[in-house]
Amino acid sequence: MRHVLALCLALVAPPAVSDMLIEDFAQPSDSEWRFFTDQVMGGVSTGQAGIVRDDRPALRLTGEVSTENRGGFIQARRDLPGGLPEDATALRITVRGDGQRYFLHLRTTGTRLPWQYYQAGFEAREDWTELRVPLSAFEPSGRLLRRDLRPDAVRSVALVAYGRDHEARVELARIVAE
């Protein structure tokens, strides 16, 4: 009888979210990640992004972030044309850096203007660290965006150094939607 009950519960229980690997850089392609700075809107920040293969393959974002001329960011962005799984609740990232605060930016089907995004911050410690960033932690960049982020509407993810004058150095080795 217990087995029949367990089988019935298994049949009506919602399926578990299966992790979706977004990137682990095992087969890197620089063209999948686009680098740009606030210079696209008159800022003066400089930097670069590229795939490195030190102790593990990763995307390295480095540069000088400047808030002069109403600027203040450098970023590497990857398109996600199919979005995230509809039942995704978080992004799990493996990162390391210089101990400073960095950000993930998500753009969706509703972020039509260049300055619109959803943002969540994290600390990039010196050693590789796996962090779980709930989708509920992503804040819209303005009042014109929906408050709640719909995973299936996500169209890109970016690693970003943002918002203050500083020298940036952060690496992303893995990103998974869960």
Side-chain angles (χ1 to χ4, degrees):
M1 182 65 163
R2 191 178 330 149
H3 299 292
V4 172
L5 180 60
L7 178 60
C8 289
L9 289 175
L11 293 174
V12 297
V17 174
S18 57
D19 292 350
M20 178 183 117
L21 176 65
I22 295 172
E23 183 70 79
D24 67 0
F25 302 97
Q27 300 295 321
S29 169
D30 285 329
S31 64
E32 290 182 3
W33 289 86
R34 296 182 323 270
F35 173 78
F36 55 97
T37 73
D38 55 20
Q39 291 180 15
V40 298
M41 41 195 272
V44 297
S45 298
T46 60
Q48 61 185 6
I51 308 304
V52 296
R53 294 193 171 273
D54 294 339
D55 54 336
R56 71 189 297 176
L59 171 71
R60 180 179 291 157
L61 178 67
T62 59
E64 184 71 33
V65 180
S66 172
T67 56
E68 286 183 41
N69 248 16
R70 299 182 60 142
F73 74 87
I74 61 173
Q75 74 173 270
R77 183 188 297 167
R78 183 182 195 277
D79 289 335
L80 300 172
L84 300 177
E86 184 177 315
D87 51 358
T89 60
L91 294 178
R92 197 171 62 246
I93 60 174
T94 304
V95 294
R96 74 175 173 187
D98 53 11
Q100 296 187 74
R101 186 163 184 77
Y102 293 95
F103 299 89
L104 292 176
H105 283 187
L106 299 177
R107 290 184 51 82
T108 69
T109 54
T111 54
R112 302 193 188 276
L113 301 173
W115 53 84
Q116 292 179 320
Y117 52 84
Y118 290 83
Q119 173 180 274
F122 63 91
E123 307 301 320
R125 299 183 188 131
E126 289 185 26
D127 295 322
W128 287 112
T129 306
E130 185 173 285
L131 302 171
R132 184 176 187 278
V133 184
L135 294 182
S136 61
F138 283 83
E139 295 287 332
S141 62
R143 287 179 278 176
L144 298 177
L145 296 177
R146 297 173 54 113
R147 173 70 197 114
D148 297 325
L149 178 66
R150 287 188 11 250
D152 58 325
V154 172
R155 291 299 176 259
S156 70
V157 60
L159 177 63
V160 185
Y162 169 80
R164 67 187 192 292
D165 296 324
H166 70 286
E167 190 73 32
R169 180 179 164 83
V170 61
E171 295 178 18
L172 172 69
R174 184 175 169 86
I175 184 167
V176 174
E178 61 176 35

